[in-house]
Amino acid sequence: MTLEGKSVVVTGTVEGFTREEAEGAIVSRGGKSPGSVSAKTFAVVLGSDPGAAKLSKAEQLGVPVVDGSRFEELLESGELPGP
């Protein structure tokens, strides 16, 4: 389970996934998909039309932000995609 014990928050629309599918993909890999960003959040996945509050909170807390186009890399590896 690549995301075992990791919290990943999705904001906005990730291409190829409905919100439910994105959350399901995280949970099926052992992760959690909470509705809000906290200091315990592993990463925030930034889709199109994201919520400004989640992005702002991630920046405040220093939580890594992953572009939605790299979501599948995150799901496959359980690690933050490199540059």
Side-chain angles (χ1 to χ4, degrees), residues 8 23 25 27 29-30 33 36 41 48 50 52 55 58 60-62 64-65 67 75 79 81:
V8 179
E23 290 174 0
V27 171
R29 288 163 176 82
S33 183
S36 60
T41 303
S48 58
L55 182 56
Q60 283 176 359
L61 296 173
V65 176
D67 187 87
L75 292 174
E79 302 297 325

Side-chain angles (χ1 to χ4, degrees), residues 35-53:
S36 60
V37 178
S38 74
K40 295 179 182 177
T41 303
F42 176 69
V44 173
V45 177
L46 186 65
S48 58
D49 299 320

Side-chain angles (χ1 to χ4, degrees), residues 13-29:
T13 304
V14 177
E15 189 172 332
F17 292 86
T18 65
R19 182 167 303 279
E20 292 76 22
E21 288 169 343
E23 290 174 0
I26 294 164
V27 171
S28 71
R29 288 163 176 82

Side-chain angles (χ1 to χ4, degrees), residues 46-82:
L46 186 65
S48 58
D49 299 320
K54 288 180 183 174
L55 182 56
S56 174
K57 185 78 168 182
E59 290 170 349
Q60 283 176 359
L61 296 173
V63 173
V65 176
V66 176
D67 187 87
S69 66
R70 315 235 12 224
F71 181 51
E72 291 193 41
E73 288 178 59
L74 174 68
L75 292 174
E76 288 173 20
S77 70
E79 302 297 325
L80 297 171

